[in-house]
Amino acid sequence: MAPEPKLDPPKGASRAWEALTPSLSEWILDAVSTMGFTRMTPVQASTIPLFMGHKDVVVEAVTGSGKTLAFLIPVVERLLRLEEPIKKHHVGAIIVSPTRELATQIHSVLLSLLAFHAPSSEALKPLDEDVNMDTGEDAVVAPKFLASALKIVPQLLLGGTTTPAQDLSSFLKTSPNMLIATPGRLLELLSSPHVHCPQSSFEVLVMDEADRLLDLGFKDDLQKILQRLPKQRRTGLFSASVSEAVDQIVRVGLRNPVRIAVKVRSASGASDKRTPASLQLSYLLTPPTHKLPSLVSLLGSLTPTPQKSIVYLATCAAVDYFQHILPSLLPSFTIVPLHGKHPPQVRRKNFTRFVDSITPAFLVTTDVAARGLDIFSIDLVVQLDPPSDPKAFLHRCGRAGRAGRKGLAVTFLTPGREEDYIAFLNVRKTPITPLSYPVISISDLDAEKATEQIRNLVRQDRALHNKAQRGFVSWVQAYSKHAASSIFRVTDLKWDELGHAWGLLKLPKMPELKKWEGDKSLGVGIDFKNYAYKDKQREKLRKQELNNAAKSEVASNSKVSAGMSKDRKANAWSQKKDQKAEREVRRKKKKARRENERLQKMTPAEREKERELQGLIQQVKQQAAKDEEEFQGFSD
């Protein structure tokens, strides 16, 4: 077979990787150095040789430690070292990710790496790239490689962006040998008889953010995917937090795996940390009404101003509300919302908008953006709501302080019982310290001004009031389901403070407020009958509904209402009686059926004894009835 063509190495390329991994191809060494990775991280130095040496691995490493290249490089090397190319419509490697954004990021890093491998780069070019569209003349033609040349052809599979039929059509047309996918869409493709993963061709399965993949939402799909893959394979599980769910899958899908735990030392060197040394974890104790003013003060006090920041909220409905509130409080920032209930096109558009923003940007999001995303220049992470799942705390904070870059993660806590969360994190080997710089000082007057500013905005559009009500209810529900339920207790919430903090015009109707005797109007006077939507069409429909309701009320008189009420009561009573009779009939039939099944299972001798027993019972009942009829009362 002809030798594999290579790209010329870039001038001045570092050989730091070559010193640590002499088994890697020269083009990979050139690629990683050109891409800016001049030194190998501990997780890469530990994982790559093992993965290359036919070992299953379970890797736990702090966020931003280079896990993506730690599995991409050995996967690519293994596929390019095969004796012959993988057959058409056969798959050699699969990388599974829990979110669309993370899968897209992995695919992007892979394409950047493959740009340095000539045959793969050539195979990934569009078919018409050799024609200059401006002049119509032939452009400079890149060298063609034999069909037998080993190359990597990846395919990205994301639910919501394409249909399963389109994915299958693309697979049949391009015949990729490496798949990067979310679990649901991957399972749909593997279910096709045209997609093959036999023992002879399949090499590697990688699960990125493995603990999240094995949550309830993905566990069934993962089991079905594993059933469609050969048992004789290499498997790698990667995450910043390895949970019990991963331990379960280790016993099912891996063979004698090597566990790699890469952590960092604290400043004192006394204990292992589970976060990068360049990331500062801090907390700020503040009442609910002071949270948003404190956020504004924090952003205004940091120098230089953070280029990109993330604020985490508990629920999608809360994001839908605060995306409209924060622009008025932070006018110099671009506010971008992102949550799991956005349509795929909206998620992709908003994520790209945040990543590509050249002005200071603020991503308002949920845990959908907590894992794996490597976004350049994120300096600040703020958790207005601590995550319900304790494992998500590390992943959220880890969006900042990546690859040695300094970062700050601040968690807002309410004074009182929530302070126990600090000790809870220390037990989980995630020490967190009070925010010492910048110093945040918010007065009650500042908090009242912020609340009034929010309410003035909400008063302008009834739709915003509706979003506030839905967001608040969803937030309370999420708070009640917190994993650390002994710390985050709904019974300890101060409803009036929370209502003011959210800028609510009134507290919503909810079970948690039934026994609360405070002012549910929050002291806000507003005429809800004339409270209008900013959308004219929606306001028109609201007024029509009000008019129809008013006409209906005028048309009905008390006698008719009373008669209708009687009819409804009579109908309701008769319906209940009929339903009760039907239930009794069904109960008797069910009892008879069970009795018949019991008799069928008996032997002839047992049936004879059963008949004798029933006869005796019947005699006793008849005698008891006869005695009852003969009894005439006591004597005088």
Side-chain angles (χ1 to χ4, degrees), residues 190-204:
L190 294 182
S191 301
S192 169
H194 303 291
V195 181
H196 308 286
C197 298
Q199 181 70 57
S200 59
S201 64
F202 192 80
E203 289 285 324
V204 185

Side-chain angles (χ1 to χ4, degrees), residues 91 93-97 155-159 164 167 171 178-192 195 197 202 205-207 213 221-222 224-226 228-229:
V91 178
I94 292 176
I95 299 173
V96 191
S97 160
Q155 181 177 356
L156 180 62
L157 304 171
L158 304 176
D167 286 340
F171 178 87
M178 185 173 178
L179 303 178
I180 301 172
T182 50
R185 188 49 61 89
L186 174 63
L187 179 59
E188 289 179 326
L189 186 73
L190 294 182
S191 301
S192 169
V195 181
C197 298
F202 192 80
L205 169 67
V206 173
M207 299 184 195
L213 278 171
D221 285 348
L222 257 296
K224 292 175 182 177
I225 289 170
L226 291 176
R228 287 166 167 77
L229 300 180

Side-chain angles (χ1 to χ4, degrees), residues 312-366:
Y312 285 101
L313 299 174
T315 67
C316 301
V319 172
D320 285 337
Y321 172 58
F322 282 106
Q323 69 170 332
H324 299 284
I325 299 303
L326 289 175
S328 65
L329 300 175
L330 300 167
S332 59
F333 286 81
T334 300
I335 308 298
V336 182
L338 183 72
H339 61 67
K341 291 185 179 179
H342 279 150
Q345 297 84 353
V346 174
R347 280 177 63 174
R348 185 170 61 253
K349 177 183 176 182
N350 288 0
F351 182 70
T352 303
R353 180 184 167 203
F354 176 68
V355 171
D356 296 341
S357 176
I358 58 175
T359 59
F362 214 90
L363 185 69
V364 185
T365 185
T366 60

Side-chain angles (χ1 to χ4, degrees), residues 14 291 318 327 415 589 595:
S14 171
K291 281 189 176 183
K589 288 182 178 179
E595 181 66 18

Side-chain angles (χ1 to χ4, degrees), residues 17-35:
W17 276 64
E18 187 176 12
L20 290 171
T21 55
S23 60
L24 291 180
S25 298
E26 183 179 349
W27 74 267
I28 282 186
L29 300 176
D30 295 335
V32 294
S33 60
T34 304
M35 292 165 67

Side-chain angles (χ1 to χ4, degrees), residues 183-434:
R185 188 49 61 89
L186 174 63
L187 179 59
E188 289 179 326
L189 186 73
L190 294 182
S191 301
S192 169
H194 303 291
V195 181
H196 308 286
C197 298
Q199 181 70 57
S200 59
S201 64
F202 192 80
E203 289 285 324
V204 185
L205 169 67
V206 173
M207 299 184 195
D208 196 16
E209 300 298 343
D211 58 323
R212 178 70 182 91
L213 278 171
L214 296 167
D215 284 348
L216 294 177
F218 297 111
K219 195 171 182 180
D220 292 341
D221 285 348
L222 257 296
Q223 292 291 352
K224 292 175 182 177
I225 289 170
L226 291 176
Q227 292 170 5
R228 287 166 167 77
L229 300 180
K231 293 182 179 180
Q232 300 293 327
R233 64 170 188 270
R234 293 281 67 80
T235 306
L237 275 58
F238 292 77
S239 178
S241 57
V242 177
S243 65
E244 294 178 359
V246 174
D247 292 335
Q248 295 172 6
I249 206 70
V250 163
R251 292 193 293 269
V252 176
L254 285 80
R255 298 181 303 159
N256 299 320
V258 178
R259 287 179 173 269
I260 301 171
V262 179
K263 300 179 182 179
V264 295
R265 290 283 178 184
S266 61
S268 62
S271 61
D272 287 334
K273 289 181 62 180
R274 303 178 67 191
T275 54
S278 60
L279 176 62
Q280 177 187 334
L281 299 185
S282 300
Y283 66 88
L284 182 65
L285 295 177
T286 177
T289 52
H290 291 209
K291 281 189 176 183
L292 289 181
S294 296
L295 174 63
V296 175
S297 177
L298 175 63
L299 288 166
S301 303
L302 289 173
T303 53
T305 301
Q307 181 64 24
K308 287 185 173 64
S309 307
I310 300 180
V311 60
Y312 285 101
L313 299 174
T315 67
C316 301
V319 172
D320 285 337
Y321 172 58
F322 282 106
Q323 69 170 332
H324 299 284
I325 299 303
L326 289 175
S328 65
L329 300 175
L330 300 167
S332 59
F333 286 81
T334 300
I335 308 298
V336 182
L338 183 72
H339 61 67
K341 291 185 179 179
H342 279 150
Q345 297 84 353
V346 174
R347 280 177 63 174
R348 185 170 61 253
K349 177 183 176 182
N350 288 0
F351 182 70
T352 303
R353 180 184 167 203
F354 176 68
V355 171
D356 296 341
S357 176
I358 58 175
T359 59
F362 214 90
L363 185 69
V364 185
T365 185
T366 60
D367 283 339
V368 72
R371 289 175 175 265
L373 298 182
D374 188 14
I375 304 171
F376 181 73
S377 71
I378 291 183
D379 302 310
L380 174 66
V381 168
V382 177
Q383 301 188 72
L384 284 180
D385 301 321
S388 296
D389 182 356
K391 296 192 300 293
F393 182 90
L394 281 175
H395 294 282
R396 283 180 171 188
C397 296
R399 295 318 97 212
R402 301 180 68 83
R405 184 183 177 91
K406 289 186 177 180
L408 172 64
V410 182
T411 303
F412 284 28
L413 297 172
T414 302
R417 188 176 290 273
E418 285 190 13
E419 294 180 54
D420 293 341
Y421 194 62
I422 302 163
F424 174 78
L425 291 174
N426 282 324
V427 170
R428 295 179 60 85
K429 298 182 180 179
T430 310
I432 185 171
T433 58

